[in-house]
């Protein structure tokens, strides 16, 4: 009795060179093209119609693999299903799948331009790569569940609470993106309220929120006198940051084109501001004197250039100046708190002036509606008083 399956030998498959079909049985054929290329096909009939389904090139699909694929096709037919339709459905399903890591990359790419801080994307990626990806990065995003999220968060929830809290929020946003895109369904396993808050202690209950170390405003003058004796661009940048009550990135990214000496105004464009809106800073006489002592460059040049040509000062440079002054107890951002405390406790300037000087977003919609201007002239008087306080002996 002739064999109905596995008719071809490995030698036949290797030596077959005449164009045509070589039957292995059970619908499996080795196809040799006119050009001599070899591939596997599965041939069958459905509703009186002859059909042919490719199973892969011989170079990538050995005989044993082709036979397993053909067996799967016969099983599909035996179940009354259409092999072509079944494979197309599988392909569509695979095309609609993404791993968590792939979704994270896509989310960061989509939002990168909307983040004002260029390093924000790096921070997102670094946090996810360190804590989330090792746990469920390669997993289909539709399969990420509460158990896996907890496995990523619990090891650092007590020791690195702030990092863990940020990680949870980032995972939640990525999973929400995946749901909107159709890659997963159901509730978000990383949501906090009514879900993870029943499994993890509240971040605030673990430890008090750590604020940036700030200099008491009464010590501002002595500190500024010591700082003035420090050499280097970073020390000057720190003095400028204190006099203007601005953030590190706002100061180190400043260019000469942003400063109008004639009107004593430094206009920081919106793309460099945390709130995304232009912020005008009235420059005190002390701030203008500091700028006058610098070497002016082209409009596009940085006011506080770094060591590398065309690059700004490092965002760690001012902090390193504090360390060099043996003031590791302070942070650059903390001087904004020093200014705010001074304005609230040592002056009669309205609260909104200090908030405007710090470029804080007004939280009250009613207050925002009546404060459409930036109160520049009123802030100018306050900044002169602040500079005088910093220079008092």
């Amino acid at each position: 009795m002739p064999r109905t399956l596995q008719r071809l030998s490995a030698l036949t498959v290797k030596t077959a060179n005449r164009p045509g079909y070589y039957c292995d049985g059970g619908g499996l054929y080795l196809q040799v093209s006119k050009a001599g290329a070899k591939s596997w096909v599965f041939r069958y009939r459905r509703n009186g119609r002859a059909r042919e389904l490719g199973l892969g090139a011989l170079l990538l699909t050995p005989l044993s693999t082709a036979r397993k694929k053909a067996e799967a096709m016969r099983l599909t037919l035996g179940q009354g299903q259409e092999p072509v339709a079944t494979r197309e459905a599988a392909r569509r399903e695979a095309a609609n799948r993404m791993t968590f890591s792939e979704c994270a990359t896509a989310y960061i790419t989509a939002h990168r331009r909307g983040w004002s801080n260029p390093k924000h994307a790096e921070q997102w990626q670094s946090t996810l790569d360190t804590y989330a990806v090792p746990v469920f990065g390669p997993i289909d995003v539709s399969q990420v569940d509460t158990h896996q999220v907890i496995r990523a968060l619990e090891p650092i929830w007590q020791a690195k609470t702030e990092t863990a809290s940020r990680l949870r929020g980032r995972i939640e946003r990525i999973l929400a993106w995946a749901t909107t895109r159709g890659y997963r369904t159901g509730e978000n396993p990383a949501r906090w309220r009514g879900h993870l808050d029943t499994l993890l202690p509240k971040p605030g209950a673990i430890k008090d929120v750590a604020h940036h170390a700030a200099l008491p405003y009464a010590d501002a003058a002595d500190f500024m006198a010591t700082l003035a004796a420090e050499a280097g661009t970073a020390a000057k940048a720190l003095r400028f940051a204190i006099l203007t009550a601005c953030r590190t990135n706002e100061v180190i990214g400043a260019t000469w084109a942003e400063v109008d000496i004639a009107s004593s105004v430094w206009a920081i464009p919106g793309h460099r501001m945390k709130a995304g809106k232009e912020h005008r800073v009235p420059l005190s006489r002390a701030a203008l004197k500091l700028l006058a002592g610098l070497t002016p460059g082209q409009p596009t040049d940085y006011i506080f250039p770094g060591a590398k040509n065309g690059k700004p000062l490092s965002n760690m440079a001012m902090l390193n100046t504090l360390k060099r002054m043996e003031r590791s107890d302070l942070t650059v951002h903390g001087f904004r708190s020093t200014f705010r405390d001074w304005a609230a406790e040592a002056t009669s300037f309205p609260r909104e002036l200090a908030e405007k000087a710090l470029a804080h977003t007004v939280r009250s919609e009613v207050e925002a509606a009546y404060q459409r201007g930036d109160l520049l002239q009123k802030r100018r008087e306050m900044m002169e008083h602040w500079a005088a306080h910093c220079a008092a002996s």
Side-chain angles (χ1 to χ4, degrees):
M1 178 180 292
R3 297 176 63 184
T4 59
L5 294 176
Q6 300 187 4
R7 300 179 188 177
L8 299 176
S9 66
L11 180 60
T12 301
V13 171
K14 181 179 179 180
T15 58
N17 53 27
R18 187 170 59 186
Y21 290 88
Y22 296 78
C23 181
D24 186 58
L28 177 62
Y29 290 82
L30 173 68
Q31 181 184 30
V32 180
S33 71
K34 292 181 179 180
K38 298 179 181 180
S39 62
W40 297 104
V41 295
F42 182 75
R43 305 176 78 178
Y44 65 100
R45 298 187 69 85
R46 171 68 75 182
N47 299 325
R49 181 184 175 187
R51 304 295 300 269
E52 187 174 293
L53 193 64
L55 300 182
L58 176 62
L59 184 64
L60 301 175
T61 310
L63 176 59
S64 59
T65 301
R67 285 171 173 167
K68 290 179 181 179
K69 288 186 176 182
E71 183 179 359
M73 293 297 102
R74 291 192 294 271
L75 179 61
T76 299
L77 284 169
Q79 294 173 341
Q81 300 176 8
E82 170 60 58
V84 173
T86 300
R87 190 163 76 171
E88 287 302 315
R91 285 177 176 175
R92 286 194 298 271
E93 183 180 354
N96 201 41
R97 289 180 179 175
M98 288 185 73
T99 65
F100 177 83
S101 292
E102 290 171 337
C103 288
T105 299
Y107 180 92
I108 293 171
T109 300
H111 290 80
R112 184 184 298 271
R113 291 193 176 185
W115 289 329
S116 57
N117 186 346
K119 293 196 173 183
H120 202 50
E122 296 177 15
Q123 294 168 348
W124 266 68
Q125 194 67 64
S126 176
T127 305
L128 293 167
D129 285 346
T130 302
Y131 304 109
V133 170
V135 179
F136 49 82
I139 295 177
D140 188 321
V141 72
S142 66
Q143 302 303 310
V144 176
D145 57 22
T146 301
H147 173 70
Q148 291 159 342
V149 173
I150 286 294
R151 280 182 57 204
L153 295 176
E154 269 189 331
I156 60 171
W157 193 258
Q158 300 282 346
K160 301 179 179 180
T161 308
E162 183 176 354
T163 298
S165 184
R166 289 179 179 175
L167 174 64
R168 185 208 62 77
R170 289 166 182 173
I171 295 173
E172 181 180 19
R173 287 176 176 83
I174 291 167
L175 294 180
W177 178 91
T179 299
T180 304
R181 286 282 185 171
Y183 297 117
R184 62 175 288 121
T185 59
E187 295 289 342
N188 194 318
R191 70 189 185 280
W192 176 254
R193 185 171 298 179
H195 188 58
L196 292 185
D197 61 351
T198 66
L199 302 175
L200 297 169
K202 293 182 180 180
I206 298 174
K207 62 178 181 181
D208 294 334
V209 177
H211 295 286
H212 293 281
L215 180 78
Y217 66 83
D219 299 337
D222 288 340
F223 177 83
M224 287 292 275
T226 303
L227 178 59
E230 291 289 320
T233 303
K236 293 181 174 64
L238 180 56
R239 288 168 57 198
F240 190 73
I242 295 171
L243 290 171
T244 58
C246 287
R247 300 178 178 90
T248 295
N249 286 332
E250 295 162 7
V251 172
I252 64 177
T255 64
W256 288 103
E258 296 174 2
V259 176
D260 186 342
I261 300 297
S263 61
S264 305
V265 172
W266 170 28
I268 311 174
H271 70 269
R272 293 208 304 104
M273 293 300 300
K274 186 176 181 179
K277 297 180 180 179
E278 182 188 61
H279 178 52
R280 294 197 299 168
V281 182
L283 297 174
S284 63
R285 288 189 293 272
L288 289 171
K289 183 178 180 181
L290 190 155
L291 292 179
L294 302 176
T295 303
Q298 297 298 317
T300 56
D301 288 346
Y302 292 107
I303 295 176
F304 302 103
K308 294 183 179 180
N309 188 34
K311 297 292 184 180
L313 200 65
S314 163
N315 63 346
M316 292 296 293
M318 289 188 278
L319 186 61
N320 289 335
T321 296
L322 289 173
K323 292 180 179 179
R324 190 168 59 250
M325 296 172 65
E326 297 183 350
R327 293 306 305 262
S328 296
D329 57 317
L330 302 176
T331 66
V332 179
H333 198 86
F335 287 103
R336 286 166 55 83
S337 295
T338 301
F339 165 79
R340 188 66 185 86
D341 291 343
W342 166 82
E345 299 177 16
T347 79
S348 58
F349 290 111
R351 181 188 69 86
E352 60 267 23
L353 281 187
E355 292 299 295
K356 285 287 187 181
L358 294 169
H360 283 165
T361 302
V362 179
R363 296 186 178 182
S364 168
E365 294 183 2
V366 176
E367 187 177 2
Y370 285 95
Q371 275 190 34
R372 295 180 181 176
D374 63 0
L375 308 176
L376 180 68
Q377 296 307 318
K378 291 185 177 181
R379 285 191 289 119
R380 186 180 298 281
E381 180 184 357
M382 180 175 63
M383 300 314 290
E384 285 292 352
H385 277 76
W386 169 239
H389 173 77
C390 290
S393 58

